[in-house]
Amino acid sequence: MGVGTFPGLVPRPPVQAGIRPPPQARTTQKQKRRATMASWSRRRPERTLFLLLLLAASACGVTLSPKDCQVFRSDHGSSISCQPPAQIPSYLPADTVHLAVEFFNLTLLPASLLQDASKLQELHLSSNRLENLSPEFLRPVPQLRVLDLTRNSLTGLPPGLFQASATLDTLVLKENQLEVLEASWLHGLKALRHLDLSRNCLRKLPPGLLANFTLLRTLDLAENQLETLPPDLLQGPLQLERLHLEGNKLQELGKDLLVPQPDLRYLFLNGNKLARVAAGAFQGLRQLDMLDLSNNSLASVPEGLWTSLGRPNRDMWDGFDISSNPWICDQNLSDLYHWLQAQKDKMFSQNDTRCAGPEAVKGQTLLAVAESQ
């Protein structure tokens, strides 16, 4: 293996998805909150490997020009990374398995960029200004597993883009300008496990969007403009583990949305406008480890909502947060009081979970009221 240069190509660590937070006993609540609530797709890739390669290149007497892309060669193939002021290559080595072309403010990609890279497995194009992609763009790379298009200017995808992408595992479309989404844009993604659509401008989702995504494990729709969700949204995936819906405008959580996902482990609903959660909305979520309902408009919840969560001795393994809601702490919360007393050691932001009424308990923590009952 070795380090070299290529006009226009630096290796980047693979996307790491679904990382389990450290055990609660080894972290403070603040550390756990930071570790657990961070989406897999929001982690900045570490450059440790790249720095080690630079040191190795220096030790071997290799001069790395700022106008050259960096190349790391191993028995598995070449990993290439380009950032300004490097020149984007007009061709790639035939053994290229990893390519990053980032921070160039490109609006279009060279048509022949991937032509001879049939072994490519990871493609990172983040922090450009790509406005559209050709329907044939990915056809030369049928072994592609990771496509990262974070921070571009895409308003849509061409139908047929993924027809040759049967092995694609991870698709990141975070921080683009998508206002609508067509199910046909994603046809061909038979192996998709991680889909990140966060920080776009989506106002609604089409029915049947995930109908064929049976392997999906992570769905990130955070920080869009969603007010409602199609009832069949989760009827395609068979074993979804992480669902990110935080930072939208959802007002109600229906009773049937989560039913198809009994193995869901992480559910993020914080920062919405939820005022109603249907009775039975969490029914059957026997594996749920983390629930965030903070920063919503919940004053009360139906009886029995909480007792359906988790399994004995497992409930909320990684904690829960119901803070910054206008709770009315009367007898209608008796079921919640009972559940809180049993789960208080897994409760985040206890001091910020307070009663908005009635007047006799206004300002008191919900946990204190629960313990006084």
Side-chain angles (χ1 to χ4, degrees):
M1 64 180 66
V3 178
T5 62
F6 193 87
L9 291 176
V10 154
R12 171 178 177 164
V15 170
Q16 304 207 3
I19 299 175
R20 183 178 178 85
Q24 184 173 7
R26 299 180 183 179
T27 62
T28 65
Q29 284 195 350
K30 183 176 291 186
Q31 290 170 331
K32 169 171 284 296
R33 183 179 178 85
R34 184 182 302 116
T36 308
M37 293 189 180
S39 168
W40 66 273
S41 64
R42 294 184 172 85
R43 299 173 184 267
R44 287 183 58 84
E46 296 178 357
R47 297 290 178 173
T48 304
L49 176 59
F50 177 47
L51 294 175
L52 291 174
L53 294 175
L54 290 179
L55 290 173
S58 176
C60 295
V62 178
T63 301
L64 302 179
S65 168
K67 294 184 179 180
D68 292 330
C69 297
Q70 306 302 318
V71 182
F72 173 64
R73 293 187 173 91
S74 71
D75 294 339
H76 301 292
S78 296
S79 295
I80 302 169
S81 183
C82 305
Q83 295 184 7
Q87 297 177 0
I88 300 173
S90 57
Y91 72 95
L92 300 173
D95 69 342
T96 302
V97 294
H98 186 290
L99 172 62
V101 179
E102 301 171 303
F103 302 100
F104 280 95
N105 289 328
L106 296 171
T107 56
L108 292 173
L109 292 169
S112 61
L113 178 64
L114 305 180
Q115 197 60 46
D116 300 315
S118 61
K119 297 181 179 180
L120 191 68
Q121 296 180 21
E122 289 199 32
L123 177 57
H124 298 268
L125 297 170
S126 68
S127 301
N128 285 291
R129 290 193 293 182
L130 296 173
E131 297 175 354
N132 52 65
L133 299 172
S134 165
E136 295 80 26
F137 176 58
L138 298 177
R139 291 183 184 178
V141 289
Q143 299 183 47
L144 194 68
R145 295 187 63 249
V146 175
L147 176 59
D148 183 1
L149 290 160
T150 301
R151 287 187 298 278
N152 277 285
S153 301
L154 296 170
T155 58
L157 299 176
L161 177 64
F162 300 114
Q163 288 305 306
S165 301
T167 63
L168 197 70
D169 173 277
T170 300
L171 174 59
V172 184
L173 289 162
K174 174 182 176 181
E175 292 184 56
N176 277 275
Q177 297 178 18
L178 299 172
E179 295 184 7
V180 297
L181 193 64
E182 299 292 339
S184 61
W185 295 351
L186 304 179
H187 284 177
L189 296 175
K190 301 177 181 179
L192 197 66
R193 293 169 60 89
H194 307 285
L195 176 59
D196 188 346
L197 293 160
S198 63
R199 298 188 185 181
N200 278 277
C201 306
L202 295 170
R203 296 184 180 278
K204 64 179 181 178
L205 300 175
L209 176 65
L210 308 177
N212 298 314
F213 293 172
T214 57
L215 301 179
L216 198 67
R217 296 292 184 271
T218 300
L219 176 61
D220 195 337
L221 292 163
E223 297 181 57
N224 279 283
Q225 303 293 319
L226 297 170
E227 297 181 3
T228 61
L229 299 171
D232 69 347
L233 177 64
L234 303 180
Q235 289 181 9
L238 299 177
Q239 291 181 311
L240 195 69
E241 294 179 354
R242 301 180 69 100
L243 178 58
H244 290 266
L245 293 168
E246 66 267 31
N248 280 283
K249 297 181 179 180
L250 300 174
Q251 300 179 34
E252 182 175 5
L253 183 63
K255 66 176 182 178
D256 298 324
L257 179 70
L258 302 173
V259 170
Q261 300 303 326
D263 295 321
L264 192 67
R265 293 178 53 204
Y266 300 96
L267 177 57
F268 300 90
L269 289 160
N270 46 299
N272 279 279
K273 297 181 178 181
L274 288 174
R276 296 177 299 279
V277 177
F282 300 144
Q283 186 69 40
L285 296 184
R286 59 180 181 270
Q287 304 285 357
L288 201 64
D289 287 334
M290 176 72 201
L291 173 65
D292 194 344
L293 281 166
S294 62
N295 290 287
N296 276 287
S297 301
L298 294 170
S300 187
V301 289
E303 185 177 355
L305 179 69
W306 308 99
T307 54
S308 64
L309 288 174
R311 298 179 299 179
N313 303 318
R314 182 187 172 90
D315 289 357
M316 299 297 99
W317 185 270
D318 289 319
F320 65 95
D321 194 338
I322 58 172
S323 64
S324 300
N325 281 283
W327 296 109
I328 301 301
C329 300
D330 56 19
Q331 67 276 9
N332 292 323
L333 290 186
S334 57
D335 187 50
L336 174 57
Y337 297 153
H338 179 76
W339 189 79
L340 283 180
Q341 292 183 67
Q343 305 294 335
K344 62 183 179 181
D345 60 325
K346 301 167 187 174
M347 182 180 181
F348 292 119
S349 307
Q350 294 183 9
N351 195 49
D352 294 322
T353 310
R354 294 180 176 271
C355 302
E359 195 63 34
V361 294
K362 185 176 181 179
Q364 295 185 32
T365 66
L366 198 60
L367 188 57
V369 175
E371 291 176 339
S372 68
Q373 299 299 306

